[in-house]
Amino acid sequence: MSILVVGSVALDSIRTPFGEVEEILGGSATYFSVAASFFSPVRLVAVVGDDFPSEHVDFLRSRGVDTRGLRTVKGSTFRWRGYYTYDLNEAHTLETQLNVFEDFDPDIPEEYRDSEYVFLANIDPELQLKVLEQVRSPRLVVCDTMNFWIENKREALLETVSRVGWLLLNDAEARQLAGDPNLISAGRKLLGMGPERVIVKKGEHGVIMLAEEVFFSLPAYPLETVFDPTGAGDSFGGGLLGSLSRFPEPGEEEIRKAVVYGSVVASFAVEDFSCRRLRTLTSEEIERRYCDFSAITCF
Amino acid sequence: MSILVVGSVALDSIRTPFGEVEEILGGSATYFSVAASFFSPVRLVAVVGDDFPSEHVDFLRSRGVDTRGLRTVKGSTFRWRGYYTYDLNEAHTLETQLNVFEDFDPDIPEEYRDSEYVFLANIDPELQLKVLEQVRSPRLVVCDTMNFWIENKREALLETVSRVGWLLLNDAEARQLAGDPNLISAGRKLLGMGPERVIVKKGEHGVIMLAEEVFFSLPAYPLETVFDPTGAGDSFGGGLLGSLSRFPEPGEEEIRKAVVYGSVVASFAVEDFSCRRLRTLTSEEIERRYCDFSAITCF
């Protein structure tokens, strides 16, 4: 099955209690693509500047990512600088340079428009809507978002949310968008906004998934060191859609398995900066940790 | 199997976003006893003043709680006044009147000293040690604690922790006692302090349990309204030890089931003030919610 992701490819400078890095490969679409690539090829739509190191593109291609939709334009690549304290649930932004990303206008290549799975990573909801207008009857569209769009582009975001199949967001965003401090009733309110399924990422506390008559809760993998949480949510999304796309007709059981695979890949992603851990990750390691999830949660 | 609990019986005045009550039945030993009583009789050791309403004692007896160890002395009963905002994870104390509880010196009745399961609810660790000196070779001792003792009676608390089988505490307490912001490595450090098992209560995020080569994680039951979280942890403890005591030789599988039963009873306890919901709770409702936990977590 074909998967399309539209989002950011960036250069991140990050400090955590465990180390510091400058201008490493980052961005929502990057993490999603690399995570999904363990299960399925991915089609990437994003923009970078002409300063973007070609080795990063080579890496994405080596993971089976179709980069024909990755446009290179004159200027500087999107850059983010931030840090985490020991409370790794919250990213502190020091600097955001949108650069070429400021004029990003997703033009979906003709050969991508029949993609069956579409992931609208965290970008301006007006751009997410533009993507929706270009794809032809996808089987499933999943969208992510962030507090900035909830505050500043609420109307467009609600329009996007009403038109996607699944909404994926973190716990603070779910509470904010629904205007409800209780996460369970917030999730129910988000379902009322249109999507048939809502998945709430809770970081170290795992993930919950809601649909009509459905509630699923999965704890996080117990990591003694979360080295860098950047990209955890997008890696989850990649593992989720990548593994889901392997099933011909996914039902509730397969969707839950996909949530576990998403959590598995995310748990590896946070073990090092950028995609470093994902570079060496093997399918055997993924399957082993999937079994660990069974052992950790069964009763 | 016989269960002994030593802790507080109190009169609470509580305000939550959903209502307000004055001088209702509360206290760690109260919640534990009532919760455990769904599975097993309980022996209660605590102290109240001569102002303590006899109807509360009648209620405890009606639940099969042995109140011969509940001493009534001249003076006022322990009172706590507090409130919760929408962040129901944190209790805000307005007033604590220790009253007769200030001179509480647990004298375990001779007929209680052969108890097989002992729950040292959150009291001064020096008193917890006194209880340990009085009981004869219990099968399992579980102790709870709180931030106040971690800060002010650390030495005595470490002595208690080194001498109990299981340590039960909440996430903030686990981080504080271990001096580690990561809950998983904090749990491992707590194991290093002596207990063979550590159970960390995470409120709306469920519970994790650690032992050598063992990790178990259970999400919380998805409640759209947490009416009053007071007593949730002690209700969990009561459901845990009560259900555990029904198994003749509990192993890992039975312990996990007991954690689920603890979570089930706690999830009911928070649906109303005081023990109100537990007064009407039936075994059928408990079993139904136990099955819900399976459905919510299985993949």
Side-chain angles (χ1 to χ4, degrees), chain A residues 182 217 219 223-224 256 295-296 298, chain B residues 182 217 219 223 256 295-296 298:
Chain A
N182 179 292
S217 187
L223 289 172
E224 294 203 32
R256 289 186 176 204
I296 286 164
C298 83
Chain B
N182 179 291
S217 188
L223 288 171
R256 289 185 176 205
I296 286 163
C298 84

Side-chain angles (χ1 to χ4, degrees), chain B residues 168-200:
Chain B
L168 179 66
L169 70 187
N170 74 31
D171 45 357
E173 292 155 1
R175 291 185 167 102
Q176 189 182 8
L177 183 55
D180 192 320
N182 179 291
L183 206 52
I184 312 302
S185 56
R188 297 260 168 249
K189 284 179 185 166
L190 297 177
L191 281 178
M193 294 176 183
E196 70 176 30
R197 200 168 279 265
V198 171
I199 301 178
V200 183

Side-chain angles (χ1 to χ4, degrees), chain B residues 212-226:
Chain B
E212 206 187 324
E213 304 286 310
V214 168
F215 187 87
F216 177 55
S217 188
L218 183 76
Y221 185 79
L223 288 171
E224 294 203 32
T225 303
V226 175

Side-chain angles (χ1 to χ4, degrees), chain A residues 161-177:
Chain A
V161 168
S162 74
R163 291 173 58 184
V164 301
W166 297 3
L167 173 61
L168 179 66
L169 71 186
N170 73 30
D171 45 356
E173 291 154 2
R175 290 186 168 101
Q176 189 183 8
L177 183 55

Side-chain angles (χ1 to χ4, degrees), chain B residues 107-245:
Chain B
D107 182 20
I108 310 301
E110 181 54 36
E111 61 270 32
Y112 285 11
R113 296 189 179 204
D114 62 348
S115 296
E116 287 168 287
Y117 289 89
V118 177
F119 187 70
L120 304 173
N122 164 33
I123 54 172
D124 186 333
E126 290 177 12
L127 299 185
Q128 292 178 322
L129 286 168
K130 280 194 176 180
V131 175
L132 285 179
E133 280 155 23
Q134 295 175 70
V135 292
R136 285 189 289 271
S137 59
R139 180 192 277 252
L140 173 65
V141 179
V142 180
C143 89
D144 195 353
T145 192
M146 71 180 290
N147 54 357
F148 183 81
W149 310 121
I150 297 173
E151 283 156 31
N152 299 295
K153 291 274 178 97
R154 190 177 172 85
E155 283 296 299
L157 178 59
L158 290 177
E159 175 69 17
T160 302
V161 168
S162 75
R163 291 172 58 185
V164 300
W166 297 4
L167 173 62
L168 179 66
L169 70 187
N170 74 31
D171 45 357
E173 292 155 1
R175 291 185 167 102
Q176 189 182 8
L177 183 55
D180 192 320
N182 179 291
L183 206 52
I184 312 302
S185 56
R188 297 260 168 249
K189 284 179 185 166
L190 297 177
L191 281 178
M193 294 176 183
E196 70 176 30
R197 200 168 279 265
V198 171
I199 301 178
V200 183
K201 301 168 287 182
K202 304 195 297 172
E204 65 169 322
H205 300 298
V207 55
I208 60 172
M209 177 167 70
L210 300 94
E212 206 187 324
E213 304 286 310
V214 168
F215 187 87
F216 177 55
S217 188
L218 183 76
Y221 185 79
L223 288 171
E224 294 203 32
T225 303
V226 175
F227 196 89
D228 174 17
T230 310
D234 297 301
S235 302
F236 172 84
L240 174 78
L241 280 198
S243 60
L244 191 71
S245 74

